[in-house]
Amino acid sequence: MKRFKSIFILMLLMLLALPTALRAENAFYTPPFNIIPGDTKSLSICLDNDQIVRGIQADIILPEGLSMVKDGNGDFNISLTDRASSFSVSSNEISNGTVRVLVYSFLSDNLEPGKGTILNVQVKASESFTGGYIQIKNIILADENNQDVDLADSQTLVGIKEQNTISVADGEIESGEGGFFSLNLLNDSQMTACQFDVILPTGLSL
């Protein structure tokens, strides 16, 4: 009887924890990012949301030697992607190295559940930049009822060497049969052409 009671309590605790896990699908973050010292590059900021969002507030903290580029009007060069085409964005430096970003709609439009880039930020690395962490803190979403939803802070390591790799996608092929394998290119550098050698294992031919 005691064992049954313990199992019942454990299952109850698991069920109580489930809604929290299901709600933990919202994230505001930067994917892996590399920039060569002295270069200017577009930094992507992503929103993964499993609920309707009507507004976003977040503080972006760049490492020493990495700064946001300003446009001709003296504003930070931050733009929205097509995911939030009906929204507006504003930004303000609230302290040295910390920029607060607001995404909002004058018409109370909805940002539907989804995943992917929502902001592009132009950043420049100094000649002496040695890398560091991009941090995003104080992240608050406004839901469809205009209630605040707090998100966990996020951070991403910034490298100073651009990554350019070619890899073979996973796949299977049966003996005596044909098939296709994809060659994937991941490039930080702009390219006009590339060259590589493909070496096949014994028994596999083009």
Side-chain angles (χ1 to χ4, degrees):
M1 182 66 181
K2 289 184 178 180
R3 183 180 178 185
F4 174 79
K5 185 176 181 181
S6 298
I7 293 174
F8 175 76
I9 293 174
L10 178 61
M11 290 179 64
L12 180 61
L13 290 173
M14 291 175 64
L15 288 172
L16 289 174
L18 184 59
T20 301
L22 291 176
R23 287 196 300 268
E25 295 298 326
N26 296 307
F28 194 67
Y29 62 95
T30 299
F33 184 71
N34 301 286
I35 186 170
I36 295 176
D39 274 6
T40 299
K41 198 172 181 180
S42 180
L43 168 70
S44 297
I45 298 181
C46 299
L47 171 68
D48 294 353
N49 57 303
D50 63 353
Q51 64 190 88
I52 288 175
V53 172
R54 286 191 168 176
I56 307 168
Q57 173 187 297
D59 295 341
I60 302 173
I61 305 170
L62 300 180
E64 184 176 355
L66 189 67
S67 59
M68 291 189 188
V69 176
K70 292 186 177 181
D71 59 23
N73 296 320
D75 299 321
F76 291 115
N77 196 337
I78 303 175
S79 59
L80 291 160
T81 65
D82 290 341
R83 282 195 66 194
S85 57
S86 62
F87 282 67
S88 299
V89 60
S90 64
S91 57
N92 182 46
E93 187 170 10
I94 59 175
S95 64
N96 186 28
T98 300
V99 175
R100 176 160 293 174
V101 176
L102 299 175
V103 177
Y104 56 92
S105 170
F106 289 111
L107 301 176
S108 297
D109 288 336
N110 292 331
L111 185 62
E112 299 298 330
K115 294 183 177 181
T117 304
I118 191 169
L119 290 172
N120 289 313
V121 182
Q122 291 296 310
V123 295
K124 180 176 178 59
S126 67
E127 296 290 346
S128 60
F129 181 60
T130 58
Y133 285 91
I134 296 174
Q135 302 177 69
I136 305 181
K137 298 185 174 183
N138 301 322
I139 308 167
I140 303 174
L141 305 182
D143 65 15
E144 60 183 326
N145 298 313
N146 292 319
Q147 298 296 310
D148 289 348
V149 178
D150 295 328
L151 270 60
D153 296 345
S154 65
Q155 68 174 17
T156 300
L157 179 64
V158 182
I160 58 173
K161 183 178 180 180
E162 292 188 331
Q163 303 296 312
N164 302 295
T165 60
I166 293 178
S167 60
V168 180
D170 292 338
E172 295 182 356
I173 187 170
E174 298 290 338
S175 298
E177 296 184 358
F180 291 91
F181 285 86
S182 298
L183 295 173
N184 298 329
L185 171 65
L186 173 63
N187 62 302
D188 285 333
S189 305
Q190 286 189 340
M191 294 184 178
T192 57
C194 65
Q195 172 186 305
F196 53 89
D197 298 331
V198 179
I199 303 173
L200 301 176
T202 302
L204 190 65
S205 60
L206 295 178

